[in-house]
Amino acid sequence: MKRALLASLGLLALSACDNSNTGPAGMSEDEHSKRAVELAHEMLIVDTHIDVPYRLNARYEDVSKATETGDFDYPRAVAGGLDAPFMSIYTPASYEFEGAGKAFGHANSMIDLVEKIAADAPDKFTLAHSPDAVLSAKKAGKMALVLGMENGAPIEGDLENLEHFYQRGIRYITLAHSRSNHIADSSYDEERPNDGLSDFGVDVVRAMNDLGIMVDVSHISDAAFWDVIDNSAVPVIASHSSARHFTPNFERNMSDDMIKALADKGGVIMINFGSAFLTEEANGYGGALDAAFESWLSQSDAEPTDTMREDFEARYKMEHPYPFATLNHVLDHIDHVVEIAGIDAVGIGSDYDGVDDTLPIGLKDVAAYPNLIEGLLARGYDEAAIAKIMGNNLMRVWRAIDRYRKEKNKGA
């Protein structure tokens, strides 16, 4: 099957990693490949955004075994060396506006699902609510499932709900998603009712600091980002964003000034693997398709239907294949962040199972982390720097936030 083939290819050397064939200490390409696989299983790999729960909510599969669909399952994750995937507890933006309790209830059901994954395969998975728990899981040979909430809508205007989700294991919250909500404005939404963070959003950020929940600035508007920087007492993360330098008109990615401010605060941007986050060509593909359809429709007397749109898309994609990014583009984003903000400011937040079929060539599923390590070796990164990118930078931020929580609660 296609997925199995991609998984097996995930461990192959990619000659296109760089124009050179040597890296640290004059290593050959074959030596890079072998060492990359070794490092993937030695060092801690933390991926801060994998959308398994919502994928399984639509169609449940036993991910403790090989699956025919999706980007994640246990065998592929083990092959790739993944230690700590943050399971995205995603709530659709519309749920905030569909009645009290809907967003809250949905988020709880997604957490239930992750708990089921761990309970059904306790020899393979364990829930991890702290950095030490992640390290203990690795030592025990288990995969640590960590929870990150994508969209703060389930808080539903009540800080007691924030406390509830902390107790259930949520360790970061992406404040908004595709629509502005009661906490923050969204980068995807033309409506910006909060002009950044709402007053309640400021309270949420400060309460997250006190509880020990990482503030995630992915998805929010630029104004909301700067409000977070002004109001958070601890480092913040971007769990699955990339550099706007390569996609100038895409607010969902982060500008150089934002990346530098994030780094100055001790935070980390976790690079998103979706092709539309990596290259301008892929980012503009959907708009080009829409424009082509509208142009074609204007020359026809027919009323548009879903079937008509689907047929047109199929023809368009045959004539204009999707311009997949490559591993090199991911490496370019990492290089750029390191250049402007330093090695401590970058990590990985792949968005596996969240960006549909737009993943780059060479990073098609969770078996492919060795390819990324091989590419970093080929570009001259030493092993200590690679360990920071693959997980240690995120762990540093998480520990800093944990320390702040303990200090705030000392004697309470």
Side-chain angles (χ1 to χ4, degrees), residues 108-287:
N108 279 290
S109 71
M110 293 295 93
I111 296 171
D112 292 343
L113 195 154
V114 178
E115 290 178 344
K116 172 179 167 56
I117 293 171
D120 287 351
D123 57 324
K124 298 175 179 176
F125 299 113
T126 185
L127 297 170
H129 298 162
S130 70
D132 286 344
V134 168
L135 297 179
S136 295
K138 182 174 177 63
K139 186 175 181 180
K142 296 183 181 182
M143 191 166 298
L145 302 182
V146 195
L147 303 179
M149 178 181 284
E150 185 176 25
N151 191 359
I155 297 169
E156 295 192 349
D158 188 344
L159 292 180
E160 289 188 5
N161 288 340
L162 187 64
E163 169 78 27
H164 165 83
F165 286 118
Y166 176 81
Q167 294 300 330
R168 292 218 63 186
I170 293 295
R171 290 300 179 265
Y172 79 65
I173 297 176
T174 318
L175 300 180
H177 192 253
S178 58
R179 290 174 64 179
S180 299
N181 62 18
H182 69 292
I183 297 169
D185 293 334
S186 167
S187 63
Y188 283 136
D189 195 344
E190 293 183 1
E191 299 288 331
R192 307 283 172 100
N194 304 301
D195 193 26
L197 291 181
S198 67
D199 290 343
F200 178 70
V202 172
D203 292 340
V204 167
V205 167
R206 293 172 178 169
M208 288 171 67
N209 289 172
D210 293 348
L211 282 169
I213 302 174
M214 290 178 276
V215 178
D216 177 21
V217 299
S218 290
H219 278 286
I220 63 176
S221 69
D222 286 8
F225 167 84
W226 292 111
D227 282 350
V228 168
I229 293 297
D230 288 343
N231 286 282
S232 179
V234 297
V236 301
I237 67 168
S239 70
H240 58 306
S241 296
S242 296
R244 199 181 300 172
H245 172 82
F246 299 96
T247 57
N249 299 311
F250 191 40
E251 187 180 355
R252 173 67 176 79
N253 276 344
M254 297 182 70
S255 71
D256 285 2
D257 285 344
M258 294 165 72
I259 293 170
K260 291 173 186 175
L262 188 79
D264 288 345
K265 205 169 187 70
V268 184
I269 175 174
M270 318 299 289
I271 300 301
N272 190 312
F273 293 175
S275 289
F277 290 80
L278 299 172
T279 72
E280 196 167 9
E281 185 181 11
N283 189 265
Y285 185 82

Side-chain angles (χ1 to χ4, degrees), residues 82-99:
L82 179 60
D83 297 299
F86 274 73
M87 299 281 101
S88 173
I89 304 304
Y90 164 65
T91 297
S94 63
Y95 286 15
E96 175 166 333
F97 310 99
E98 294 178 15

